[in-house]
Amino acid sequence: MLAVFLLSFVIGQSYAQTFSDWLNSESQVAQSKLLAAMSQAEAAPGAVIASPSKSKPDYYYHWTRDAAISQHVIVGLYQRSHDNKFKQKILDYIQFSRANQLARTLTDLGEPKFYVDGTPYGLPWGRPQNDGPALRALTLIEFAQLELQQGHRDFVEDHLYKAELPAMTVIKADLEYVSHHWQEPSFDLWEEVQGDHFFTRLVQKAALTKGAQLAQIMNDPAASDWYLRQAQKIDLEEFMPANQDYILTTLRQTAGLQGKNSNLDSAVTLGFIRIPDMFNIIRKVPGTLRILEKTFGELYTINRRFADMAPAIGRYPEDVYDGDTFRAGNPWVISTLAQAESYYRLAQQSSQKNKTLALEYFKRGDDFFKRVQFHANPDGSLSEQISRENGYMVSAVDLTWNYAAFMTALWAREEALK
Ligand code: NOJ
Ligand code: NOJ
């Protein structure tokens, strides 16, 4: 008890709250921080900043990936509440995204980030990053389906998907890009390695599969066939060779950072949680989760020191990026939350067949949430990383993606509880 008290004193107020109180209060923090990231006075409507941090690191940009992941949560909030403040954010995002697509960039829709006024970044960077258009399509397809359910077919046709070439609507343009470029190597979600990535291929396959369904509804049968054929060609099995216990993150590296020898990466779980029920990757997920836990459990001081808790998870074991220098990588909030969300999804998926296992998974999910609670700032704010040495939040403050990751993990928990 005394130890818990002292720790909460050292680490922060958050840990003094009970777990369920923290989930509630953090959910409020997450929602208001998400909206704040989309309402910057100096930014164009629809721009989503990755973080308010303007130096060490400078994340004051609209990243296609981060924005799509965050807007996906706004679509979820709109679906749950029908509150127009969320809908307005989505409408702004649609407009800003279409302007991004029309901007002249170095690598077409593979441009990874934009200034908050919509100008493409354009300086040397790891590009293209081809997960971006797929993630954006996934988010907007969900919104289009919601609008269709409400009878707003004209809106969808005018702003989201119209059966015409060249594509003039945002989803159609993304699906055209993804369907013609998925075979090409691109930079990974960490913007470091060029090659073929499990995360990227998974979201591309999902976007094309769901895009084919939308195309069918929108009277575009030939496009629907084409998207589906491309989706079927995307082979995820090759990332899961029989002699490996975990899903490999990258194949056929063509450029970028060297030395990711383990090929083990929480990018895999970040992909799984975005597409929890598609494709037969589930069988390899538990093994991947276990190896991530063992590896990062041993690697970081804070995991060894608080070994009775679930370990804080990093990007990949060889990581050295700390948000400023390249000395030693840290655990990341999104990677630790992805572990929680993965377990809730596994709990849900095994609840019919094996109740005991489902309960174990559920409890394991909570353990990872509690690890994040342990390191969160007292006011609920979350930075990109957790210092591997002392457990304090480090790198980009208020990383928008963190708050999106918190919400999707919380929703997965609620669905597993049902
Ligand atoms: C910034 C990228 O966003 C980050 O993922 C990467 O680790 C560093 N640059 C170093 O390349
Ligand atoms: C660095 C991360 O590696 C990358 O995934 C992210 O898109 C940017 N930071 C912005 O948050």
Side-chain angles (χ1 to χ4, degrees):
M1 205 45 225
L2 181 65
V4 171
F5 172 75
L6 285 176
L7 281 178
S8 63
F9 188 71
V10 172
I11 305 277
Q13 195 60 37
S14 307
Y15 199 60
Q17 272 180 295
T18 68
F19 179 52
S20 64
D21 284 350
W22 181 73
L23 288 181
N24 284 329
S25 64
E26 190 62 30
S27 154
Q28 296 311 311
V29 172
Q31 290 179 49
S32 67
K33 300 269 189 185
L34 275 171
L35 289 173
M38 299 166 185
S39 319
Q40 296 287 306
E42 54 198 285
V48 182
I49 55 163
S51 154
S53 175
K54 290 185 175 170
S55 75
K56 296 188 170 192
D58 182 5
Y59 277 20
Y60 202 77
Y61 297 94
H62 174 100
W63 261 269
T64 305
R65 168 183 39 262
D66 298 50
I69 289 170
S70 305
Q71 283 288 341
H72 172 233
V73 169
I74 301 296
V75 173
L77 289 167
Y78 175 59
Q79 184 179 10
R80 283 165 177 80
S81 67
H82 287 277
D83 186 331
N84 273 324
K85 77 169 177 244
F86 297 124
K87 184 163 187 175
Q88 190 53 52
K89 293 290 173 222
I90 303 165
L91 299 180
D92 292 344
Y93 171 65
I94 292 170
Q95 245 196 350
F96 188 75
S97 296
R98 185 65 193 131
N100 290 173
Q101 288 178 337
L102 291 169
R104 191 188 288 273
T105 70
L106 292 168
T107 46
D108 202 353
L109 302 199
E111 172 63 31
K113 65 176 188 176
F114 295 81
Y115 295 94
V116 298
D117 68 358
T119 310
Y121 181 62
L123 297 172
W125 204 252
R127 64 166 66 81
Q129 292 179 20
N130 286 346
D131 58 328
L135 288 164
R136 180 168 56 203
L138 280 168
T139 292
L140 291 177
I141 289 167
E142 265 180 56
F143 182 62
Q145 295 287 9
L146 269 182
E147 287 297 289
L148 288 171
Q149 279 162 27
Q150 294 173 22
H152 302 156
R153 195 187 165 93
D154 288 349
F155 173 84
V156 174
E157 184 142 32
D158 291 344
H159 299 283
L160 292 167
Y161 191 103
K162 185 163 188 186
E164 64 185 351
L165 284 177
M168 306 287 274
T169 44
V170 59
I171 296 176
K172 176 89 182 165
D174 278 338
L175 293 174
E176 287 299 312
Y177 180 81
V178 175
S179 63
H180 286 99
H181 296 276
W182 66 265
Q183 271 135 321
E184 298 160 19
S186 76
F187 275 83
D188 70 328
L189 80 169
W190 308 133
E191 324 191 275
E192 296 174 332
V193 173
Q194 191 180 46
D196 298 340
H197 314 288
F198 175 81
F199 176 89
T200 306
R201 289 285 160 90
L202 174 64
V203 296
Q204 289 171 326
K205 190 175 173 84
L208 291 171
T209 306
K210 293 181 191 219
Q213 291 159 3
L214 181 66
Q216 200 65 45
I217 300 171
M218 298 311 289
N219 285 331
D220 203 2
S224 177
D225 285 352
W226 160 253
Y227 299 148
L228 195 60
R229 267 207 317 278
Q230 297 309 307
Q232 285 163 347
K233 280 196 202 166
I234 299 181
D235 178 16
L236 298 174
E237 287 298 317
E238 60 175 347
F239 295 91
M240 299 174 250
N243 61 344
Q244 281 284 344
D245 298 331
Y246 54 90
I247 302 174
L248 303 177
T249 197
T250 298
L251 299 174
R252 297 177 289 273
Q253 175 166 359
T254 44
L257 192 74
Q258 297 294 318
K260 286 183 72 173
N261 297 327
S262 68
N263 222 349
L264 172 72
D265 196 314
S266 59
V268 166
T269 47
L270 285 159
F272 170 63
I273 58 170
R274 187 63 188 83
I275 323 291
D277 53 6
M278 288 186 88
F279 320 119
N280 188 25
I281 58 170
I282 298 159
R283 64 199 156 82
K284 288 270 187 177
V285 169
T288 308
L289 293 171
R290 267 195 304 275
I291 292 179
L292 286 167
E293 285 161 30
K294 184 171 182 308
T295 306
F296 291 114
E298 290 164 3
L299 189 61
Y300 300 138
T301 310
I302 54 162
N303 288 337
R304 293 195 303 269
R305 209 158 104 212
F306 305 109
D308 52 332
M309 306 182 78
I313 304 292
R315 298 197 294 184
Y316 52 90
E318 301 85 356
D319 193 8
V320 292
Y321 171 67
D322 65 7
D324 181 20
T325 70
F326 295 90
R327 281 195 283 262
N330 289 308
W332 280 46
V333 172
I334 52 170
S335 301
T336 309
L337 287 173
Q339 202 84 2
E341 187 168 341
S342 296
Y343 278 113
Y344 295 134
R345 289 300 175 204
L346 292 176
Q348 204 183 358
Q349 286 163 1
S350 51
S351 64
Q352 300 297 334
K353 287 163 275 162
N354 188 338
K355 282 241 148 50
T356 326
L357 182 64
L359 272 172
E360 258 171 53
Y361 281 148
F362 186 84
K363 215 199 127 288
R364 197 72 185 138
D366 280 359
D367 290 343
F368 282 94
F369 247 142
K370 288 175 185 166
R371 178 53 97 153
V372 172
Q373 178 189 6
F374 186 60
H375 297 288
N377 285 323
D379 64 359
S381 62
L382 298 166
S383 306
E384 182 183 64
Q385 305 177 24
I386 301 165
S387 160
R388 61 150 77 189
E389 294 301 330
N390 63 31
Y392 282 98
M393 300 258 101
V394 290
S395 188
V397 295
D398 279 330
L399 188 81
T400 310
W401 188 347
N402 282 345
Y403 302 118
F406 176 88
M407 292 309 298
T408 53
L410 186 67
W411 288 336
R413 185 177 194 271
E414 286 168 7
E415 280 164 41
L417 264 180
K418 285 188 207 145

